[in-house]
């Protein structure tokens, strides 16, 4: 029995020891979060997540994991600062210092190779970006852009917590993120629907307004001495949330108009000179969202191109080009290879930077005399340009450049250039000289080129995505069959002629319907469009016939003024490039508003069955050559010929294979290379050489050291806050000083001051165990605490201020003695010293 009682007693004692821990945790939670504050923090985080998620959905190159983690940390850190005693300026400075550290750490964790490698990568790429930004270079590092966005959201998170929990200024909280999400929604014209993010943002904003209102009313009731019912807050919040939900749902009942209609006035504003100049700085430093047509100063410079709605092209001069006038020119900025659901992207796998000029391009083998070098001298007319424009196919440019390309062989000697950017932004009046290898091939030579395509062509240039409809593939087959085309060249010409004859040119078309492939909509429903639609349709139809094709983008040749070509904004253009073995990429022109290409030995266009065209609108731009023949009827498949799902799958599979039934003509020329660059330039994937190579390691070392110091300071600050301010909210200076005194004595010195003793008995114990210099401040703190706790306390405002200053000074001196006592424990041979003196 004795053993049983002992066991039961021990269990009770353990239970009694657990209860204080639970109470302390509950007490800490209650002191940290007042009623409803945790819910408000969650709402604030959700409010800021909406603009962050909308940026990611609209295609901005941000790492949402980095931005999201920084956002959550900023809200929590801002909450701690709002509960501290710091003034607004000091709190803002501390938030900036900690924000920089947290952003860099979050970015480093997102990099492969571990934290150490990630930290070095973050600093290296940041220094290179700063160097390029200050020296006029082009640097669109997505990691740096993510860090800048994360820094913005850090201050937004701090602003949210500070103005909710310190000042209760709710409109200062909801307006900044609201501006981001609204501007992004208006600017974005892609297929993703950003309205759900805006809806959730509005709902959460209304919840914060409701919370702010009930907080104000409760304070007024408290000042008036009115007792507030316990459940009134919950009932008010529930009713407010319901009304907010109804309000948001009611506001979204009408369908929003087409995005392009709302953007007309906005686009006019965006084309103003000050904003264009600002956009040039932005474009050279940040990789923007996908380009949706030639509506910016860097025409077709983005990594993608969207088949979207209307375009607006001005009459401003883009560039002037001196070149021999005996050829048909295109001034190419880049090429696009892969199509999916109305979006074109590039297949460039490598990015290289040249350290010296000129930049020379290794070429594949061409048939003898099939290409001729043509020199162009380009003078920029734009305020600034981050693109190099030149005739296809590029051979050399007398600039140091950054180029996206795809190497054609393992030796990395020959390459397909996808885009060339100058290492420094080209300003108005800048001139550069470029050389291009332009085709001399005749129609008969291209007919005889055959279909012996290189492996890299087979790997990349035949893909027909599932989004291309079956009737598009059937239409391509019927056009080719009715034209009697056998060779790839004749098939390409048949499709080119049909598009020129049957599709009306119109720059003011609406955006394609969501859920329908834009090519299908262009060919069968609207039957009007501009160059992007003509080229896209021809490329997909050619690929369905086993013919490799891609999109070239930039400008048409412009106007010849007797000495040079003047290229204007309205000349922005896309065209088709078809690959022929031994001859390379050859340009085709399917757009009705552009002059047809004549290769010298073209035969008369075959006469297709004539009929009234389905499209009724006339082109908005008149071709500069003899009009094409009367538009012919669209080859409409019979009902029995409309493909079923099995037929579409079979047709799609057939489009990837090469036809074995068509006749193949043997080339009459020998495929031997005749134009080879004299020397390959050094291609490097690293920052520019020179002073930066010497300074970069030192700067990174210094910045890493500053980061380590910042982390140490951050940890020290947290420890200091934990001991000084945890649980002290709402206490008077005298009571706070006494509470801190107990916390330091018990937590650091492990001193048992006796919970049953009076305040003066505790003072005696404390004074006996501390250096003698601690007697006066400990006594002062004890007296003020006793007077305030058990006496009448200070009565006038002057007494309150005097007690506050005395308590703070006394605590500082008492803390010095406590810390001195604590650290003397770690001093070796301390018995030979007298720390009491």
């Amino acid at each position: 029995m004795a053993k049983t009682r002992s066991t039961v007693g021990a269990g009770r004692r353990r239970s009694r020891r657990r209860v204080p821990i639970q109470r302390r945790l509950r007490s800490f939670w209650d002191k940290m979060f007042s009623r409803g504050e945790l819910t408000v923090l969650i709402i604030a985080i959700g409010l800021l997540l909406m603009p962050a998620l909308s940026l990611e959905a609209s295609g901005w190159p941000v790492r949402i994991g980095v931005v999201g983690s920084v956002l959550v940390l900023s809200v929590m850190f801002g909450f701690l600062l709002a509960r501290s005693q710091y003034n607004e300026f000091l709190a803002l400075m501390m938030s900036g210092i900690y924000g920089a550290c947290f952003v860099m750490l979050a970015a480093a964790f997102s990099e492969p190779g571990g934290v150490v490698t990630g930290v070095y990568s973050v600093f290296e790429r940041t220094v290179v970006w700063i160097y390029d930004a200050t020296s006029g270079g082009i640097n669109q590092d997505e990691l740096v852009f993510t860090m800048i966005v994360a820094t913005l959201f850090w201050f937004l998170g701090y602003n949210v917590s500070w103005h909710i929990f310190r000042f209760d200024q709710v409109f200062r909280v909801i307006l900044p993120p609201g501006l981001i999400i609204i501007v992004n929604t208006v600017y974005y014209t892609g297929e993703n629907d950003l309205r759900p993010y805006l809806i959730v943002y509005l709902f959460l904003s209304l919840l914060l307004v409701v919370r702010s209102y009930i907080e104000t009313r409760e304070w007024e009731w408290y000042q008036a001495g009115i007792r507030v019912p316990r459940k009134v807050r919950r009932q008010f919040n529930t009713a407010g949330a319901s009304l907010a939900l109804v309000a948001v749902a009611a506001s979204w009942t009408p369908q929003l108009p087409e995005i392009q209609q709302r953007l007309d006035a906005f686009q006019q504003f965006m084309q103003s000179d000050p904003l264009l100049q600002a956009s040039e700085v932005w474009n050279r430093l940040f990789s923007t969202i996908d380009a949706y047509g030639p509506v910016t100063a860097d025409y077709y410079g983005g990594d993608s191109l969207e088949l979207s709605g209307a375009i607006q092209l001005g009459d401003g001069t883009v560039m002037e080009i001196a070149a021999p006038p005996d050829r048909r020119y295109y001034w190419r900025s880049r090429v696009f290879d892969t199509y999916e659901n109305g979006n074109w992207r590039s297949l460039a796998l490598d990015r290289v930077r040249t350290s010296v000029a000129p930049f020379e391009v290794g070429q594949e083998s061409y048939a003898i005399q099939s290409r001729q070098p043509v020199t162009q001298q380009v003078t920029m007319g734009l305020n600034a340009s981050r693109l190099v424009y030149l005739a296809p196919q590029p051979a050399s440019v007398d600039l140091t450049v950054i180029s996206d390309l795809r190497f054609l062989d393992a030796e990395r000697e020959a390459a397909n250039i996808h885009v060339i950017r100058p290492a420094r932004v080209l300003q108005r009046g800048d001139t550069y000289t470029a050389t291009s290898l332009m085709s001399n091939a005749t129609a008969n030579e291209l007919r005889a080129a055959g279909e012996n395509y290189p492996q890299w062509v087979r790997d990349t240039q035949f893909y027909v995505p599932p989004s291309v409809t079956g009737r598009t593939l059937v239409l391509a087959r019927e056009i080719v069959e009715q034209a009697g085309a056998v060779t790839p060249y004749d098939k390409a010409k048949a499709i080119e002629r049909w598009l020129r004859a049957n599709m009306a040119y119109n720059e003011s078309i609406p955006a394609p319907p969501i859920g329908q492939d834009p090519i299908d909509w262009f060919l069968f429903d609207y039957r009007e469009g501009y160059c992007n639609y003509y080229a896209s349709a021809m490329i997909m139809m050619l690929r369905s016939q086993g013919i490799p094709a891609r999109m070239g983008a930039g400008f048409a040749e412009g106007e010849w003024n007797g000495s040079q070509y003047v290229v204007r904004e309205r000349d922005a253009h896309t065209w088709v490039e078809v690959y022929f073995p031994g001859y390379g990429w050859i340009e085709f022109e399917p757009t009705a508003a552009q002059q047809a290409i004549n290769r010298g030995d073209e035969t008369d266009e075959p006469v297709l069955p004539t009929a009234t065209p389905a499209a009724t609108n006339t082109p908005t731009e008149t071709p500069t050559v003899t009009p094409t023949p009367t538009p012919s009827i669209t080859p409409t498949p019979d009902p029995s010929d409309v493909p079923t799902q099995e037929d579409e799958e079979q047709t799609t599979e057939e489009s990837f294979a090469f036809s074995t039934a068509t006749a193949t003509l043997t080339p009459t020329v020998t495929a031997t290379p005749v134009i080879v660059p004299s020397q390959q330039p050094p291609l490097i994937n690293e920052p520019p050489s020179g002073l930066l190579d010497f300074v970069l390691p030192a700067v990174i070392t210094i910045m890493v050291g500053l980061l380590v110091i910042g982390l140490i300071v951050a940890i020290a600050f947290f420890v200091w806050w934990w001991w000084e301010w945890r649980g002290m909210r709402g206490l008077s200076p005298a009571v706070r000083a006494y509470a801190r005194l107990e916390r330091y004595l018990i937590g650091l010195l492990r001193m048992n001051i006796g919970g049953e003793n009076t305040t003066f008995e505790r003072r005696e114990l404390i004074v006996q165990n501390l250096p003698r210099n601690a007697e006066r401040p400990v006594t002062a703190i004890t007296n003020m605490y006793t007077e305030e706790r058990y006496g009448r306390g200070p009565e006038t405002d002057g007494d309150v201020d005097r007690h506050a200053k005395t308590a703070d000074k006394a605590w500082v001196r008492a803390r010095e003695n406590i810390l001195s006592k604590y650290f003397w424990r770690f001093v070796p041979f301390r018995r030979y010293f007298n720390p009491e003196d």
Side-chain angles (χ1 to χ4, degrees), residues 156-182:
L156 285 177
Y158 163 77
N159 175 75
V160 165
S161 294
W162 185 262
H163 285 100
I164 287 179
F165 300 106
R166 177 64 74 97
F167 297 117
D168 195 21
Q169 298 288 337
V170 66
F171 287 102
R172 296 183 183 180
V173 171
I174 63 179
L175 288 181
L179 182 64
I180 294 176
I181 194 170
I182 290 174

Side-chain angles (χ1 to χ4, degrees), residues 388-628:
V388 172
Y389 299 94
L390 72 167
Q393 302 297 320
S396 67
V397 181
D398 65 342
L399 297 170
T400 56
V401 302
I402 303 169
S403 178
D404 294 346
L405 49 81
R406 186 185 183 98
F407 288 106
L408 307 182
D409 48 23
E411 293 77 18
R412 300 167 67 92
E413 294 180 352
N416 258 334
I417 299 297
H418 288 251
V419 64
I420 302 176
R421 299 184 179 92
R424 296 178 182 273
V425 173
L426 298 172
Q427 306 292 334
R428 183 194 300 271
D430 287 350
T431 300
Y432 62 88
T433 301
T435 301
S436 303
L437 298 183
M438 302 195 67
S439 175
N440 291 328
T442 64
N444 286 331
E445 289 174 338
L446 295 177
R447 287 189 181 96
E451 300 179 52
N452 186 23
Y453 300 112
Q455 187 60 43
W456 63 267
V457 174
R458 297 173 181 268
D459 292 339
T460 59
Q461 304 299 331
F462 288 96
Y463 177 63
V464 179
S467 62
V468 175
T469 61
R471 61 178 180 174
T472 300
L473 307 183
V474 170
L475 175 60
R477 184 173 69 242
E478 292 194 356
I479 292 173
V480 169
E481 290 176 353
Q482 291 191 24
V486 177
T487 67
Y489 178 80
D490 288 326
K491 293 178 182 179
K493 291 299 292 185
I495 295 174
E496 177 191 59
R497 290 164 181 157
W498 186 90
L499 289 171
R500 295 177 62 86
N502 288 275
M503 296 292 108
Y505 185 86
N506 186 357
E507 295 179 357
S508 301
I509 62 174
I514 297 177
Q516 182 177 4
D517 181 66
I519 293 177
D520 181 89
W521 174 77
F522 167 68
L523 290 174
F524 301 100
D525 294 339
Y526 203 74
R527 299 178 61 80
E528 298 177 22
Y530 45 89
C531 53
N532 296 358
Y533 287 87
Y534 282 91
S536 300
M538 181 173 175
I539 293 169
M540 287 300 105
M541 288 195 287
L542 286 176
R543 289 187 178 184
S544 72
Q545 294 296 304
I547 301 172
R550 68 182 186 183
M551 177 184 287
F555 288 88
E557 64 182 0
E559 177 185 357
W560 176 255
N561 65 2
S563 60
Q564 60 187 356
Y565 290 94
V566 180
V567 182
R568 306 184 186 278
E569 291 180 17
R570 63 172 181 262
D571 296 315
H573 188 50
T574 56
W575 59 91
V576 177
E577 295 183 356
V578 181
Y579 188 86
F580 294 89
Y583 298 91
W585 294 105
I586 304 297
E587 296 80 23
F588 284 78
E589 184 52 81
T591 303
Q594 290 290 329
Q595 178 182 354
I597 298 176
N598 188 347
R599 293 189 169 84
D601 59 346
E602 297 283 356
T603 59
D604 294 336
E605 295 185 356
V607 179
L608 303 178
T610 58
T612 303
T616 58
N617 292 351
T618 58
T620 60
E621 180 179 333
T622 305
T624 57
V625 294
T626 304
T628 55

Side-chain angles (χ1 to χ4, degrees), residues 327-344:
R327 290 181 172 272
R328 170 66 180 276
Y329 290 101
Y330 293 101
W331 313 116
R332 197 174 76 186
S333 61
R334 72 172 310 141
V335 295
F336 297 101
D337 309 87
T338 303
Y339 174 85
E340 190 76 48
N341 292 317
N343 186 276
W344 281 97

Side-chain angles (χ1 to χ4, degrees), residues 493-820:
K493 291 299 292 185
I495 295 174
E496 177 191 59
R497 290 164 181 157
W498 186 90
L499 289 171
R500 295 177 62 86
N502 288 275
M503 296 292 108
Y505 185 86
N506 186 357
E507 295 179 357
S508 301
I509 62 174
I514 297 177
Q516 182 177 4
D517 181 66
I519 293 177
D520 181 89
W521 174 77
F522 167 68
L523 290 174
F524 301 100
D525 294 339
Y526 203 74
R527 299 178 61 80
E528 298 177 22
Y530 45 89
C531 53
N532 296 358
Y533 287 87
Y534 282 91
S536 300
M538 181 173 175
I539 293 169
M540 287 300 105
M541 288 195 287
L542 286 176
R543 289 187 178 184
S544 72
Q545 294 296 304
I547 301 172
R550 68 182 186 183
M551 177 184 287
F555 288 88
E557 64 182 0
E559 177 185 357
W560 176 255
N561 65 2
S563 60
Q564 60 187 356
Y565 290 94
V566 180
V567 182
R568 306 184 186 278
E569 291 180 17
R570 63 172 181 262
D571 296 315
H573 188 50
T574 56
W575 59 91
V576 177
E577 295 183 356
V578 181
Y579 188 86
F580 294 89
Y583 298 91
W585 294 105
I586 304 297
E587 296 80 23
F588 284 78
E589 184 52 81
T591 303
Q594 290 290 329
Q595 178 182 354
I597 298 176
N598 188 347
R599 293 189 169 84
D601 59 346
E602 297 283 356
T603 59
D604 294 336
E605 295 185 356
V607 179
L608 303 178
T610 58
T612 303
T616 58
N617 292 351
T618 58
T620 60
E621 180 179 333
T622 305
T624 57
V625 294
T626 304
T628 55
T630 303
S632 60
I633 191 170
T634 305
T636 305
D638 296 333
S640 60
D641 199 21
V642 175
T644 62
Q645 183 175 1
E646 294 182 359
D647 294 334
E648 288 192 16
E649 294 176 356
Q650 182 178 1
T651 305
T652 304
E653 292 175 0
E654 291 174 353
S655 67
F656 291 94
F658 303 114
S659 174
T660 57
T662 56
T664 302
L665 303 180
T666 305
T668 58
V669 293
T670 306
T672 52
V674 295
I675 302 175
V676 180
S678 58
Q679 183 179 358
Q680 280 294 106
L683 299 178
I684 54 176
N685 282 309
E686 54 190 37
S689 59
L691 181 61
L692 185 61
D693 291 335
F694 173 77
V695 175
L696 183 60
V699 172
I700 292 178
T701 302
I702 294 174
M703 296 183 71
V704 171
L706 292 176
L707 177 62
V708 173
I709 294 174
L711 290 176
I712 294 174
V713 172
I715 295 172
F717 169 78
F718 179 78
V719 172
W720 173 80
W721 174 88
W722 181 262
W723 282 98
E724 288 285 314
W725 293 100
R726 174 175 51 93
M728 300 297 176
R729 182 162 57 92
L731 301 181
S732 67
V735 176
R736 185 169 59 240
Y738 194 82
R740 287 171 173 169
L741 186 63
E742 289 187 344
R743 175 177 294 174
Y744 272 68
L745 293 173
I746 297 173
L748 290 181
L749 301 183
R750 305 298 180 185
M751 185 182 298
N752 184 10
I753 58 178
E756 68 282 356
N757 294 335
T758 65
T759 55
F760 292 102
E761 290 173 341
R762 293 181 184 179
R763 186 197 70 83
E764 293 296 332
L765 289 173
I766 295 171
V767 170
Q768 292 174 7
N769 288 276
L770 290 179
R772 63 172 63 99
N773 292 334
E775 181 176 357
R776 291 184 63 184
V778 170
T779 301
I781 293 173
T782 303
N783 291 339
M784 285 186 291
Y785 172 75
T786 303
E787 179 183 355
E788 185 173 324
R789 183 74 171 82
Y790 302 105
R792 301 178 64 177
E795 298 180 355
T796 66
D797 292 340
D799 292 338
V800 172
D801 293 339
R802 180 173 53 81
H803 272 237
K805 293 179 181 178
T806 304
D808 290 339
K809 291 181 180 179
W811 165 243
V812 171
R813 293 195 298 269
R815 181 177 58 193
E816 291 175 356
N817 285 274
I818 295 173
L819 293 177
S820 174

